Amino acid sequence: MSVRRLIPVTLALLAGAMLSLPARAAAEPLTDRQRTVLKGLARDRYTGRWIDLTTNQLTAMRQRAEAYLADLPKHHLAGGLVVSARFADTNRSAVSRYEAAEDSAAWTGLLLSAHTFRYIVSRETNAFGDIRRSLDGIDRLLRVSGKPGYLARFSARADDPAYIPVYAEWGGADPARKGFGKLAFAGNSPYGKEVWLGGPDRNHYAAVNFGLMTVYQLIRDQTIRSQVSNSVMLMISRLQKDDWRIDDGYGNRTFVSPLLRAALLRGAATIDPAHYYPEFEKQAEQYLRLPPPALLQYSDYAPNVFTVASLSLLSRLELSEPTRKLQFEERLTEVMRQTESHLNPFLVACFVESFRKPTISSGIIVTLQGVMYEFPDPPRWARPVDQTQDRDLTVIEANGEKWSKFAVQMVQRPPAPFQWADSPYRLKGGQGSLVSHPGVDYLTAYWMGREREVIPSEDYVPLPVERRPVVARGTNNVAGASRTNRPSATGNYRTPTKPTEP
């Protein structure tokens, strides 16, 4: 082959190789100084100034978001619903089993919010199709049980080979129904070919309400808003009929917490104020008489995420009563004081989104930039991790388990389906090298951070070194940091249209 003919072939091969590289391949890692600041924040101590991410690093973060977005429909959506997946091989050529399907409703609800913030930042019209796909999946979950408005955990075709082993054991095998778990049930018409997973879970309602009302608040497409309204009203009507109990119709029920009830009614009152606003006011008053939430570290961490999601939604939607809005904001600020050292980007993003003109502390910037930058590219394999013997970590015992005393850095954490709902103090976890997780955790925090410009776009010009934020000693800097990359950090935030309320 002549040199003239060889050059185009060689260039084509190089181009193909470059396209196949992961999103972070061309970007530099965090500097030692940036890692020191992250580590110091986890230990609640002064460690120096945060160095802004470079253009290459910010580009890598956006590319990672695009990679997860492209990965979802290929490997992690089943009828519009989010799942982790166990594959037959590392090439992910075939799904052998759905994983974390019992939490699919929650992750699908949060994916709705990610697509919404993505649209607000990028104005990608493709986001509308993604929003509709998730809304269709949630609508099916609200109807498949035959109790319209009850939110099933997951539903898919009974003959789906990746689903059969899941519903066969959900709740434990049922001797009276061969092939079904005790909490798995056949769908009602027109979903007779599906099987849905039951059992009550307040977290699912909080996440779906968060996603639905984020769409309703920020998206002006009337077809989409109408679909959201129908889902919200269906859910609220069912809960009212069931005396505010989550009841799957098969004897499995739990009560709706005061905070969740207030958040659900706030959503309904935003859509139909004449009907639901008085009931919301009464419930909000009752909730605000209760002590502020105390969040957990060395235990089941997921309730923290959904507590903050509901509080954030209440603050965002409260437009007519400034005093009540301030009370919600004060509770969120107290939560942030408790959790700033957790290095949890979702909690931080919810906090920032809850205020019209938030104060952006150095800890918020460090968490949303530093932790998110170290998030892995897809596929995110659920590799087994055991750091209980790591001498570089301060290990403590609580609730019969070993934990890190301080939040573990992102690169060391055991992978979880939604990373921010797993305790950052966990030392041991993971499911195996053939299970991968969907990336809703990254997409949600990334696009919320972008919307408020705490995570800048690639064309951001860093401030001089002397004006970069300092991670101050103590966590009280949440409410009063005076130095920040973006002093007002209002970004392109829109003031939502005020609903008609009495």
Side-chain angles (χ1 to χ4, degrees):
M1 182 181 293
S2 69
V3 173
R4 182 174 295 180
R5 293 182 61 191
L6 182 60
I7 290 175
V9 173
T10 304
L11 290 175
L13 290 173
L14 286 173
M18 291 176 67
L19 288 173
S20 66
L21 289 175
R24 291 180 65 187
E28 63 269 25
L30 290 181
T31 65
D32 290 342
R33 184 172 179 178
Q34 287 170 323
R35 288 200 184 95
T36 299
V37 173
L38 269 173
K39 189 174 181 179
L41 179 60
R43 285 157 175 73
D44 187 20
R45 69 188 186 198
Y46 173 83
T47 53
R49 297 182 184 276
W50 173 252
I51 303 300
D52 293 287
L53 297 180
T54 66
T55 297
N56 286 344
Q57 289 174 319
L58 293 170
T59 299
M61 291 183 71
R62 177 184 55 78
Q63 290 175 339
R64 184 181 303 118
E66 292 172 352
Y68 272 116
L69 186 65
D71 199 61
L72 269 168
K74 292 180 182 178
H75 302 294
H76 292 291
L77 289 182
L81 301 173
V82 177
V83 291
S84 295
R86 185 180 298 275
F87 294 92
D89 52 55
T90 54
N91 293 325
R92 299 194 291 173
S93 56
V95 177
S96 59
R97 178 190 172 104
Y98 296 138
E99 299 287 345
E102 68 277 8
D103 292 324
S104 178
W107 311 146
T108 305
L110 294 178
L111 179 60
L112 259 180
S113 65
H115 287 319
T116 302
F117 286 111
R118 166 185 152 222
Y119 171 74
I120 295 302
V121 173
S122 67
R123 297 296 171 179
E124 294 179 30
T125 54
N126 289 342
F128 279 14
D130 294 326
I131 289 171
R132 290 190 182 100
R133 182 188 297 122
S134 296
L135 286 175
D136 289 343
I138 288 173
D139 182 72
R140 195 167 79 255
L141 293 182
L142 290 169
R143 298 178 187 276
V144 67
S145 69
K147 284 188 66 175
Y150 166 76
L151 181 67
R153 289 169 170 264
F154 180 69
S155 183
R157 287 183 61 93
D159 59 0
D160 185 339
Y163 187 37
I164 291 172
V166 176
Y167 69 74
E169 60 185 37
W170 176 238
D174 188 346
R177 298 181 303 144
K178 186 177 180 180
F180 281 81
K182 294 178 181 177
L183 295 178
F185 309 99
N188 281 50
S189 179
Y191 307 103
K193 294 183 179 180
E194 296 195 14
V195 173
W196 56 276
L197 304 184
D201 194 307
R202 290 185 287 267
N203 294 343
H204 290 184
Y205 281 77
V208 167
N209 189 48
F210 183 86
L212 290 173
M213 291 312 302
T214 297
V215 174
Y216 189 87
Q217 182 188 32
L218 301 180
I219 300 296
R220 293 305 172 201
D221 181 270
Q222 290 305 310
T223 302
I224 289 177
R225 297 187 94 211
S226 177
Q227 188 170 0
V228 169
S229 298
N230 291 338
S231 293
V232 170
M233 293 307 165
L234 198 63
M235 193 161 53
I236 287 289
S237 297
R238 171 53 56 191
L239 289 171
Q240 289 178 320
K241 289 177 183 176
D242 290 341
D243 195 25
W244 290 97
R245 298 292 189 272
I246 301 172
D247 185 347
D248 66 7
Y250 289 90
N252 309 296
R253 64 180 65 183
T254 191
F255 71 95
V256 176
S257 69
L259 171 59
L260 177 56
R261 185 170 175 176
L264 288 163
L265 285 169
R266 176 66 266 191
T270 300
I271 295 169
D272 185 358
H275 191 179
Y276 288 101
Y277 193 78
E279 188 177 355
F280 159 70
E281 282 196 306
K282 181 179 179 181
Q283 182 60 34
E285 182 180 347
Q286 292 177 358
Y287 167 68
L288 289 169
R289 287 201 295 263
L290 298 174
L295 305 191
L296 302 174
Q297 292 175 260
Y298 312 114
S299 183
D300 179 16
Y301 193 87
N304 297 348
V305 167
F306 302 105
T307 292
V308 171
S310 291
L311 272 173
S312 175
L313 195 65
L314 284 167
S315 179
R316 280 198 279 135
L317 297 180
E318 185 55 73
L319 304 173
S320 57
E321 290 293 335
T323 300
R324 186 160 56 228
K325 180 177 177 63
L326 180 61
Q327 289 176 295
F328 293 141
E329 291 175 345
E330 287 174 344
R331 294 203 168 199
L332 275 167
T333 300
E334 177 56 34
V335 165
M336 282 306 302
R337 288 195 177 103
Q338 293 180 44
T339 63
E340 189 177 23
S341 61
H342 293 201
L343 303 184
N344 189 317
F346 181 77
L347 300 189
V348 166
C350 282
F351 174 80
V352 173
E353 278 291 341
S354 302
F355 295 78
R356 187 165 298 184
K357 293 184 178 180
T359 298
I360 308 298
S361 74
S362 54
I364 288 172
I365 296 171
V366 171
T367 299
L368 272 174
Q369 292 188 16
V371 177
M372 290 290 288
Y373 184 72
E374 294 204 311
F375 201 92
D377 296 321
R380 185 160 61 96
W381 297 108
R383 69 191 190 287
V385 173
D386 185 350
Q387 298 187 105
T388 54
Q389 305 302 318
D390 192 331
R391 294 184 179 181
D392 292 331
L393 299 172
T394 304
V395 179
I396 63 173
E397 291 194 16
N399 300 313
E401 187 176 343
K402 290 184 177 180
W403 308 81
S404 171
K405 181 178 180 180
F406 306 108
V408 178
Q409 300 301 301
M410 183 66 233
V411 294
Q412 298 174 285
R413 296 182 190 181
F418 190 86
Q419 196 68 53
W420 320 132
D422 194 53
S423 175
Y425 303 90
R426 190 176 303 282
L427 292 171
K428 187 176 181 180
Q431 295 174 271
S433 58
L434 293 179
V435 175
S436 77
H437 295 317
V440 175
D441 34 17
Y442 183 83
L443 290 169
T444 306
Y446 175 78
W447 286 114
M448 291 173 76
R450 281 291 307 275
E451 197 277 336
R452 280 305 181 93
E453 297 182 334
V454 183
I455 300 175
S457 63
E458 298 94 305
D459 58 1
Y460 167 69
V461 178
L463 292 175
V465 172
E466 66 273 9
R467 292 186 60 200
R468 289 170 183 164
V470 176
V471 177
R473 188 182 302 276
T475 56
N476 288 336
N477 63 342
V478 167
S482 59
R483 285 188 171 184
T484 169
N485 295 53
R486 280 149 294 281
S488 65
T490 54
N492 59 352
Y493 187 69
R494 304 123 333 277
T495 301
T497 303
K498 181 177 179 180
T500 304
E501 295 177 343

